[in-house]
Amino acid sequence: MNCRPALNNQGREGKVSTYKFPPDFVWGAATASYQIEGAWNEDGKGESIWDRFSHTPGKTANGDTGDVACDHYHRYRDDVALMRQLGLKAYRFSVSWPRVLTNGRGPVNLHGLDFYDRLVDTLLEANIVPFLTLYHWDLPQVLQDEGGWTNRDICPTFADYAALMVKRLGDRVKHWATFNEPKVVMDNGHLNGDHAPGLQDPATAYQVGHHLMVAHGMAVQAIRAIDPNLYIGIVLNHWPSYSASDSPEDVAAAERFWLQSETLFLDTIFKAHYPPSRWELMGEDIPSICNGDLVLISQRLDFLGLNYYSRHLVSAQGIIDHVPGSEYTEMGWEVHPPALRNLLNKMNDGYDLPPIYITENGAAFRDEVTSDGAIHDERRLEYIRQHLIQVYLAMEDGVDIRGYFAWSLLDNFEWGHGYTKRFGIVHVDYETQERTIKDSGQWYSRVIESNTVSDS
Ligand code: IFM
């Protein structure tokens, strides 16, 4: 890869280190349909499980919903203009399944499909490469009523939906991700219940995890059958485990935690097997698996998307919630940039991976709009800077990383936290829908223009 080493002046007092990225490095920002689109029941869109969940009292902070969100459905042209102003090379977004298939399957909602068609055309006119995610959590409620991801019948239905989208957009969208963060769908949606559909049952969650992978495999087949030249991937989120001390007990606990909670999707997709530690954890609740599933799940991928936000510090007593001296974001997540490099190397050493994109990375901090209307979000800027440096160093280590997407382009609906957490590099005033590029966004724009990150 075209990666030039960092200038050799790191650590010398008064000197700034600069990190020059390869010329074709993909600089992007990411969003997801339910978090920004709004227009929850317009133009034939069906109800999603997040519509149902957020409309249920007590499920989200302040009872917030995605009914309007950033009103991106109506303002997408302005938002693409904003992306262009930032100089983004790529934009990662997701499709709302119930917007294009009101009932999850069957007759196509042409109004919904047209929206994504226009969005893609507008992006391409602005020279911005679309990266499309098929599923970022907003399942059609009608499919949930049939059991959702607990019902294996949903897998071919998902593949049909994937095929529909590829037939319509595959001439212009080349990068396709099946799922965003299947672990969150499994754990938050079906084990902890703090996400839609709000179930809390281990056996159900494990079966859902398996079905998500089967659906992924069927979608990969369906997409390739239509166009073998498209780039197909999946987006996984990972929190690496660090040991709280050098004691053998803590080291073993950290490794066990990584194996049990982080390797399910990596192992099934890239090694065609269920990690034994996961098997132990599931005990009586192991999912039902059909012959051939692991072959289906482990088809070759063209890229892997990695979402990284923080790490876990683990001792033999469990996860350490607060690390003295560490900085924390508004989500209560520790800021630990070196863990990203560490994670990338660990994954690269342990698996035969396709090229990687960092498909999400960013931070929620409390923003203040100053009297002149600016948002001086120094901590978010610093968060992104430090993580980009770690991405660069991982590339120097030999990890094949092709791009980085800041999470998020816009402040948006942060699931159960509603609008209380702001991740955007662009501020959104939810009263007026006014967008203001934050300092972090201005800085990111200069990074993109120069292809360079400096350490101060
Ligand atoms: O907002 C989410 C996104 O939808 C998925 N990844 C993590 C982000 C921050 O929590």
Side-chain angles (χ1 to χ4, degrees):
M1 104 158 303
N2 264 334
C3 179
R4 283 212 268 133
L7 297 180
N8 197 14
N9 58 3
Q10 272 174 276
R12 277 164 53 184
E13 214 180 319
K15 297 275 181 172
V16 174
S17 292
T18 58
Y19 302 85
K20 184 93 183 151
F21 282 73
D24 54 354
F25 193 77
V26 175
W27 297 104
T31 64
S33 46
Y34 189 74
Q35 294 180 274
I36 65 162
E37 284 179 2
W40 78 282
N41 59 358
E42 275 182 52
D43 293 343
K45 176 182 167 292
E47 186 188 19
S48 80
I49 56 172
W50 268 97
D51 293 316
R52 178 70 62 93
F53 191 74
S54 68
H55 291 159
T56 307
K59 297 295 187 189
T60 65
N62 306 316
D64 288 344
T65 72
D67 291 3
V68 177
C70 306
D71 196 30
H72 173 76
Y73 184 74
H74 298 114
R75 295 167 192 262
Y76 72 93
R77 283 188 193 283
D78 292 345
D79 289 338
V80 174
L82 205 53
M83 295 177 212
R84 188 179 203 159
Q85 198 183 329
L86 286 165
L88 296 186
K89 307 276 184 227
Y91 173 55
R92 175 174 173 244
F93 65 97
S94 74
V95 171
S96 160
W97 184 348
R99 195 180 290 291
V100 296
L101 287 161
T102 312
N103 296 311
R105 60 165 77 84
V108 175
N109 179 30
L110 287 173
H111 289 303
L113 208 47
D114 284 350
F115 166 69
Y116 295 106
D117 204 81
R118 291 194 306 272
L119 172 63
V120 165
D121 283 346
T122 311
L123 288 166
L124 293 175
E125 279 160 22
N127 263 326
I128 297 169
V129 178
F131 277 61
L132 187 152
T133 302
L134 286 162
Y135 189 80
H136 198 128
W137 310 350
D138 40 359
L139 184 73
Q141 179 65 42
V142 281
L143 297 183
Q144 185 61 43
D145 296 341
E146 296 173 8
W149 295 110
T150 68
N151 178 350
R152 193 176 166 109
D153 291 347
I154 198 174
C155 302
T157 306
F158 177 72
D160 289 346
Y161 154 59
L164 167 76
M165 295 311 301
V166 168
K167 281 183 191 148
R168 179 69 183 256
L169 299 179
D171 57 337
R172 286 155 290 155
V173 177
K174 300 300 170 192
H175 292 84
W176 293 78
T178 54
F179 286 93
N180 180 72
E181 303 184 358
K183 184 177 193 311
V184 171
V185 178
M186 175 177 73
D187 286 352
N188 297 71
H190 299 84
L191 187 61
N192 313 328
D194 58 345
H195 275 203
L199 304 182
Q200 294 179 305
D201 178 59
T204 303
Y206 303 151
Q207 190 63 59
V208 163
H210 186 71
H211 287 160
L212 291 168
M213 288 303 92
V214 172
H216 159 80
M218 288 184 180
V220 171
Q221 278 186 340
I223 297 171
R224 278 217 175 103
I226 297 167
D227 185 347
N229 295 317
L230 297 176
Y231 299 100
I232 312 174
I234 189 167
V235 173
L236 302 179
N237 58 312
H238 287 293
W239 287 48
S241 297
Y242 275 56
S243 173
S245 78
D246 291 339
S247 82
E249 294 78 15
D250 287 353
V251 171
E255 184 58 11
R256 194 176 333 110
F257 190 80
W258 163 263
L259 291 173
Q260 288 191 337
S261 69
E262 300 287 328
T263 60
L264 171 62
F265 299 110
L266 283 171
D267 275 30
T268 46
I269 295 173
F270 296 108
K271 291 186 173 168
H273 83 154
Y274 261 84
S277 51
R278 184 77 196 175
W279 217 251
E280 263 169 48
L281 176 92
M282 296 189 295
E284 306 264 282
D285 295 325
I286 51 165
S288 86
I289 298 174
C290 299
N291 278 340
D293 278 359
L294 283 157
V295 174
L296 184 64
I297 293 169
S298 61
Q299 289 165 86
R300 176 185 66 75
L301 292 182
D302 302 294
F303 70 91
L304 170 64
L306 172 66
N307 294 354
Y308 171 80
Y309 290 91
S310 185
R311 66 165 186 170
H312 282 129
L313 189 66
V314 182
S315 79
Q317 281 69 49
I319 294 179
I320 295 176
D321 280 339
H322 192 86
V323 185
S326 277
E327 183 186 11
Y328 283 82
T329 70
E330 280 288 299
M331 296 294 282
W333 297 345
E334 186 191 5
V335 177
H336 201 292
L340 174 54
R341 177 185 185 184
N342 195 299
L343 169 66
L344 285 160
N345 275 291
K346 186 175 175 98
M347 288 168 55
N348 198 43
D349 292 346
Y351 299 88
D352 186 10
L353 297 179
I356 296 173
Y357 291 90
I358 308 300
T359 33
E360 286 182 27
N361 176 242
F365 286 116
R366 212 180 286 278
D367 289 327
E368 206 185 305
V369 183
T370 54
S371 53
D372 57 349
I375 297 104
H376 302 303
D377 58 334
E378 190 55 32
R379 292 175 74 190
R380 183 176 296 103
L381 186 162
E382 227 17 75
Y383 179 101
I384 298 177
R385 183 209 305 277
Q386 295 307 331
H387 284 81
L388 280 172
I389 292 173
Q390 297 300 321
V391 168
Y392 182 93
L393 296 175
M395 288 162 79
E396 273 196 333
D397 296 337
V399 185
D400 184 359
I401 305 164
R402 303 287 174 95
Y404 175 94
F405 292 77
W407 183 269
S408 177
L409 173 70
L410 303 171
D411 290 336
N412 59 46
F413 177 83
E414 177 54 25
W415 309 111
H417 299 281
Y419 296 99
T420 62
K421 312 288 178 210
R422 291 179 179 270
F423 277 89
I425 55 173
V426 174
H427 180 269
V428 177
D429 178 331
Y430 297 116
E431 296 292 314
T432 62
Q433 292 294 345
E434 190 187 349
R435 275 75 160 140
T436 308
I437 300 179
K438 302 180 190 178
D439 282 4
S440 59
Q442 310 278 12
W443 171 85
Y444 190 51
S445 178
R446 292 194 292 278
V447 166
I448 297 172
E449 200 183 358
S450 62
N451 231 15
T452 303
V453 176
S454 308
D455 64 3
S456 67

